[in-house]
């Protein structure tokens, strides 16, 4: 449906919102009209926080997670175990693992996975910097925590080959039946992995 | 779920997005991370267009539609019939009627409907300014195009009483079976209105 916008300023703002993923022109208009009803200060705070974030946010020079400082709070935290690195695809994954409260090592954010279909090769993601971190010497274990997809598996294998010459433990997060899932409805590949990766009953 | 944001700047931007209607923290994070991947200029353009819109957009002094100028393009358009006013609740409704291309008169945007439940009385919406426009003399018809709800009907009735002393035609948009709808599934109130408001067959 073509729209007759009563204002070019409105039309421009709607157009900008509609560029966001999952936001259509109708939703964009609804959001813009909502902002139009808010006071000027709140809207300027909204817009300002976005500009400021984009202009000032950095990437941690060690783990490539986003950060307000050159070294992110996780890498800078001396209470964490700096001999263990958990390799993840992106920032959301760091947040997901942090939310489990089961990990107190450091991270390495690849910024993607190897995906020939999308033209993403090993050189496009942070693998070399991972190898450099390991080659510096005081890493005991690297945990590969990528998605259980073809691309994730390819990336795991590539990293395995790059790190196999180092004297470190290399592990992959467990794949198995989800907590709360019924056996009957679990796919056979997952169930197979669950059985072969079984753990002693009293472990947890 | 509590989030551990790696950056205060990111957290602030996510918080601002999450204030928008229908946007949860998870969606907000997705939108913010999308913006983080865009180049600085596009993100500044996005933020700038929102601030600019909120700071500079005006309301038409005649019809109260939003506008970039004191008089909106519709009110300023000499080819339109300035003797007919279509009364609508909000800006979206102006756009909806404009999209039908069936109306070439002017509008009057109330900015709401009378809703005692929400504490909105006649004095909170642009009814007085409508009466003033009509009292200036060269209006022939006022079309009430409000939603077919209790609040819409109350507002229609209130406006009807305020304008009944003027020598103008006062009409309400037709309520009836939607184009494309099957008779069988139309509610009886709508169907009843459809029958009593029947029009000659050759009319259109």
């Amino acid at each position: 449906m073509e729209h007759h916008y009563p204002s070019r300023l409105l039309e421009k703002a709607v157009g900008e919102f509609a560029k966001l993923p999952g936001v259509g022109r109708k939703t964009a208009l609804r959001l813009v009209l909502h902002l139009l009803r808010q006071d000027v200060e709140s809207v300027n705070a909204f817009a300002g926080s976005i500009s400021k974030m984009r202009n000032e946010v950095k990437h941690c020079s060690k783990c490539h997670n986003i950060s307000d400082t050159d070294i992110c709070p996780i890498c800078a935290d001396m209470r964490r175990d700096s001999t263990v690195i958990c390799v993840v695809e992106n920032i959301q994954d760091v947040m997901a693992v942090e939310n489990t409260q089961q990990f107190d090592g450091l991270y390495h954010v690849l910024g993607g996975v190897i995906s020939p279909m999308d033209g993403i090769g090993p050189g496009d993601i942070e693998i070399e910097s991972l190898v450099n971190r390991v080659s510096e010497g005081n890493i005991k274990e690297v945990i590969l925590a990528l998605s259980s997809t073809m691309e994730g598996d390819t990336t795991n294998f590539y990293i395995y080959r790059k790190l196999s010459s180092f004297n470190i433990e290399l592990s992959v997060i467990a794949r198995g039946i989800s907590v709360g899932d019924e056996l009957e409805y679990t796919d056979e590949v997952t169930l197979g992995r669950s059985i072969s990766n079984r753990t002693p009953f009293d472990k947890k």
Side-chain angles (χ1 to χ4, degrees), chain A:
Chain A
M1 191 171 72
E2 197 204 335
H3 279 301
H4 297 81
Y5 292 95
S7 149
R8 300 279 298 164
L9 294 166
L10 179 90
E11 187 172 3
K12 186 116 205 307
V14 170
E16 289 289 344
F17 262 105
K19 284 182 195 165
L20 296 174
V23 178
R25 290 195 82 83
K26 209 151 189 176
T27 303
L29 177 62
R30 194 167 53 80
L31 296 176
V32 167
L33 290 175
H34 167 84
L35 289 173
L36 208 50
R37 285 192 299 270
Q38 310 309 304
D39 57 66
V40 172
E41 291 71 35
S42 329
V43 177
N44 286 341
F46 171 80
S49 75
I50 293 160
S51 270
K52 194 171 161 68
M53 186 236 5
R54 183 61 189 85
N55 287 294
E56 296 180 16
V57 94
K58 299 175 173 127
H59 285 87
C60 172
S61 57
K62 257 179 107 172
C63 75
H64 306 283
N65 191 5
I66 62 166
S67 172
D68 296 341
T69 44
D70 280 329
I71 300 288
C72 78
I74 294 175
C75 286
D77 187 345
M78 299 309 280
R79 291 162 301 180
R80 297 186 74 118
D81 183 353
S82 64
T83 67
V84 186
I85 293 177
C86 178
V87 177
V88 293
E89 181 177 342
N90 56 38
I91 300 153
Q92 290 102 304
D93 294 341
V94 173
M95 290 167 65
V97 176
E98 283 297 283
N99 282 329
T100 68
Q101 303 189 305
Q102 297 293 313
F103 180 70
D104 77 336
L106 306 184
Y107 292 91
H108 192 85
V109 181
L110 294 178
V113 283
I114 297 171
S115 174
M117 294 279 283
D118 302 313
I120 301 171
D124 299 316
I125 60 178
E126 294 290 344
I127 292 181
E128 204 184 314
S129 55
L130 172 66
V131 177
N132 289 340
R133 280 178 82 180
V134 172
S135 69
E136 283 167 11
N138 51 354
I139 304 298
K140 289 183 186 151
E141 182 180 2
V142 169
I143 303 170
L144 300 171
L146 302 181
S147 295
S148 184
T149 57
M150 180 106 89
E151 291 78 15
D153 290 344
T154 305
T155 310
N156 279 345
F157 188 68
Y158 187 90
I159 293 172
Y160 159 76
R161 285 196 317 184
K162 283 284 181 186
L163 297 182
S164 58
S165 60
F166 295 100
N167 182 28
I168 55 163
E169 240 181 282
L170 189 66
S171 57
V172 175
I173 51 166
R175 276 89 192 262
I177 173 171
S178 293
V179 176
D181 263 13
E182 289 186 53
L183 213 71
E184 192 179 343
Y185 303 111
T186 304
D187 71 280
E188 55 197 48
V189 178
T190 301
L191 189 54
R193 292 260 199 142
S194 251
I195 291 167
S196 58
N197 296 329
R198 65 193 177 279
T199 51
F201 182 69
D202 60 352
K203 204 174 175 184
K204 190 122 219 195

